[in-house]
C-alpha cells in the first residue's frame, strides 16, 4: 500500500513536469497496487489522477471513464470531499467533450459538496470551473458572477496561485463581453500573480489572453509583443496544444497589424506544427488551411481555464 502511494505521488510529480506518458505508467501502477491491497479510497485517488494525465494526453473518453470510476468509488467509501474533487475533474473532461450541460451539473455538484465539507478553496475552484462551462454556453453574465465569486473566495483563503487563475478566466469573460479595458486589468493582474508564484506555464496563457485584449483595444503593437511572449513560453513548457492556439492568435494579430503576409503564413504554419506535436490533427489541418488562404482569418480566442484540482492520495509520516 505504501508503494502504491509512492507510485501515485510519483505520477503527480511527473505530471507537473509534463511527462504525461511516464505519469500514466506510474498512476496505472498505483491503481493496480491499491486494488491488490483492497484500499478502495486510494484506488479512487489514483483513478482521479490517472484521469488528469489522460486529459493532458487528449484521451478524453479514457479520462471520462477514469474520473467516473473515481467518483463512484469515493461514493462507495462515503468520502464526500474527494468525491467533490472527482466531480470537479469530471466536469473539466465533459467540457473538453463539449458536453456543456453535463459539465455544468458536475461543477455545480462539486461546488455544493465542497460547501458541505467546509472547503472554501475547493468551492472557489469549482466556481471557477463552473464559470468556464458557462462561458462555453455563452452565458457570459453568469460566467462573470462565477469567476468573481471564485476570485473573492481564493483571496479569502490566501491562495494567490488559484486567485491568478480566477483573474485570468474573469479576463476572458470580460473580453467576450467586449469590456476590453476591464479585461486588460484582469489579465495583467493574472500575469503578475502567476509571476509572483513562479508558474511560468500559466503566465504564458495569461500573456496569450492579454494579446487578444490588446488587439480588441486596437493596441496591435502591444498585442504582437504579448503574443510572441506567449508562444515562446508555451514552447519552452512543451505545451504544444496551447502553443498552437497562441500561434493562431499571433497570426490573427499580425494580420490586424498589417504585417507582411509571409510572416502571417509562417505563424499559421507554426500553429499547425505545434498542434501536430500535440496530436490535435483537426486543429492542425485548420491552421494549415489558414496558412494557404489569402484571406484574413479571425481566430477564436481561447478561453484558457484554470487547471482542475488534483486528488493526490498521499500519506504522511
Amino acid at each position: 500500500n505504501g508503494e502504491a502511494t509512492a507510485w501515485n505521488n510519483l505520477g503527480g510529480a511527473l505530471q507537473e513536469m509534463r511527462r504525461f506518458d511516464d505519469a500514466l505508467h506510474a498512476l496505472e501502477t498505483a491503481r493496480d497496487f491499491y486494488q491488490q491491497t483492497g484500499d478502495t479510497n486510494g484506488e479512487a485517488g489514483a483513478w482521479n489522477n490517472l484521469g488528469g494525465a489522460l486529459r493532458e494526453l487528449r484521451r478524453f473518453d479514457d479520462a471520462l471513464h477514469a474520473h467516473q470510476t473515481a467518483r463512484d468509488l469515493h461514493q462507495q467509501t462515503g468520502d464526500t470531499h474527494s468525491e467533490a474533487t472527482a466531480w470537479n475533474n469530471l466536469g473539466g473532461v465533459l467540457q473538453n467533450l463539449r458536453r456543456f450541460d453535463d459539465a455544468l451539473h458536475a461543477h455545480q455538484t462539486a461546488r455544493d459538496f465542497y460547501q458541505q465539507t467546509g472547503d472554501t478553496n475547493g468551492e472557489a475552484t469549482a466556481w471557477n470551473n463552473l464559470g468556464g462551462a458557462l462561458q462555453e454556453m455563452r452565458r457570459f453574465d453568469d460566467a462573470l458572477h462565477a469567476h468573481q465569486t471564485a476570485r473573492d473566495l481564493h483571496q479569502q483563503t490566501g491562495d494567490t496561485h488559484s486567485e491568478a487563475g480566477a483573474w485570468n478566466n474573469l479576463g476572458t469573460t470580460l473580453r467576450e463581453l467586449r469590456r476590453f479595458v476591464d479585461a486588460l486589468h484582469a489579465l495583467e493582474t493574472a500575469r503578475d500573480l502567476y509571476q509572483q508564484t513562479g508558474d511560468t506555464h500559466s503566465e504564458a496563457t495569461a500573456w496569450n489572453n492579454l494579446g487578444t485584449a490588446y488587439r480588441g483595444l486596437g493596441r496591435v503593437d502591444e498585442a504582437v509583443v504579448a503574443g510572441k511572449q506567449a508562444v515562446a513560453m508555451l514552447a519552452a513548457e512543451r505545451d504544444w496544444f496551447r502553443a498552437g492556439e497562441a500561434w493562431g492568435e499571433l497570426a490573427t494579430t499580425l494580420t490586424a497589424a498589417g504585417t507582411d503576409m509571409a510572416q502571417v503564413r509562417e505563424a499559421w504554419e507554426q500553429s499547425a506544427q505545434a498542434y501536430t506535436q500535440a496530436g490535435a490533427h483537426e486543429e492542425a489541418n485548420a491552421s494549415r488551411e489558414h496558412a494557404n488562404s489569402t484571406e484574413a482569418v479571425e481566430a477564436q480566442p481561447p478561453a484558457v481555464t484554470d487547471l482542475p484540482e488534483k486528488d493526490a492520495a498521499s500519506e504522511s509520516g
Side-chain angles (χ1 to χ4, degrees):
N1 205 57
E3 184 182 345
T5 299
W7 275 109
N8 188 43
N9 293 339
L10 177 61
L14 288 162
Q15 282 196 71
E16 292 294 332
M17 299 169 72
R18 305 193 64 77
R19 291 172 53 183
F20 298 118
D21 289 316
D22 294 332
L24 207 62
H25 169 69
L27 294 166
E28 287 171 336
T29 304
R31 175 201 61 195
D32 295 346
F33 282 174
Y34 280 131
Q35 285 176 342
Q36 288 176 30
T37 61
D39 183 347
T40 304
N41 220 42
E43 181 191 344
W47 272 112
N48 199 33
N49 291 339
L50 184 59
L54 289 163
R55 185 181 177 192
E56 290 287 352
L57 289 165
R58 304 192 65 75
R59 291 171 54 182
F60 298 130
D61 289 322
D62 293 332
L64 189 70
H65 169 70
H67 289 311
Q68 287 171 330
T69 304
R71 176 201 60 193
D72 295 346
L73 290 174
H74 282 311
Q75 284 176 345
Q76 286 178 31
T77 62
D79 185 345
T80 304
H81 183 266
S82 296
E83 184 187 342
T85 302
W87 274 110
N88 180 53
N89 293 342
L90 180 60
V93 177
L94 287 164
Q95 285 192 62
N96 291 128
L97 291 168
R98 306 195 68 76
R99 292 171 52 183
F100 300 123
D101 287 323
D102 293 333
L104 204 64
H105 168 69
H107 290 312
Q108 288 169 332
T109 304
R111 177 199 61 194
D112 295 346
F113 281 174
Y114 280 130
Q115 286 176 341
Q116 286 177 31
T117 58
D119 182 351
T120 304
N121 216 44
E123 180 190 344
T125 299
W127 271 111
N128 199 23
N129 292 335
L130 179 61
L134 289 163
Q135 272 198 72
E136 292 286 358
M137 298 170 80
R138 306 195 68 76
R139 292 171 53 182
F140 297 124
D141 289 322
D142 292 333
L144 198 66
H145 168 70
H147 291 313
Q148 288 169 331
T149 303
R151 176 201 60 194
D152 296 346
L153 290 174
H154 281 311
Q155 284 176 342
Q156 286 177 31
T157 62
D159 185 346
T160 304
H161 182 267
S162 296
E163 182 191 341
W167 275 110
N168 180 62
N169 295 346
L170 181 59
T172 62
T173 303
L174 289 163
R175 183 188 61 198
E176 292 289 352
L177 290 166
R178 306 193 69 77
R179 292 171 53 183
F180 293 117
V181 174
D182 293 333
L184 199 64
H185 167 70
L187 294 166
E188 287 173 336
T189 302
R191 177 201 59 196
D192 295 346
L193 291 176
Y194 279 133
Q195 285 176 343
Q196 286 178 31
T197 59
D199 183 353
T200 53
H201 178 243
S202 296
E203 182 191 339
T205 66
W207 273 110
N208 189 39
N209 290 332
L210 263 175
T212 63
Y214 282 130
R215 193 173 73 222
L217 288 166
R219 293 162 60 176
V220 288
D221 289 341
E222 290 164 286
V224 169
V225 170
K228 288 181 176 179
Q229 181 76 4
V231 295
M233 293 177 75
L234 288 164
E237 294 289 333
R238 302 181 68 80
D239 185 345
W240 300 118
F241 186 84
R242 288 192 178 94
E245 288 181 327
W247 274 112
E249 284 300 312
L250 180 56
T252 305
T253 299
L254 290 169
T255 302
T259 307
D260 180 75
M261 283 304 296
Q263 292 184 46
V264 175
R265 282 193 293 273
E266 172 63 20
W268 281 119
E269 286 166 1
Q270 290 286 349
S271 174
Q273 288 178 25
Y275 278 134
T276 299
Q277 285 186 267
H281 299 297
E282 185 178 338
E283 289 85 352
N285 288 336
S287 290
R288 286 191 191 94
E289 286 180 14
H290 294 337
N292 295 328
S293 172
T294 56
E295 298 176 3
V297 196
E298 179 66 24
Q300 178 62 39
V304 182
T305 56
D306 199 17
L307 296 175
E309 184 175 325
K310 295 176 184 174
D311 180 15
S314 58
E315 285 186 330
S316 59

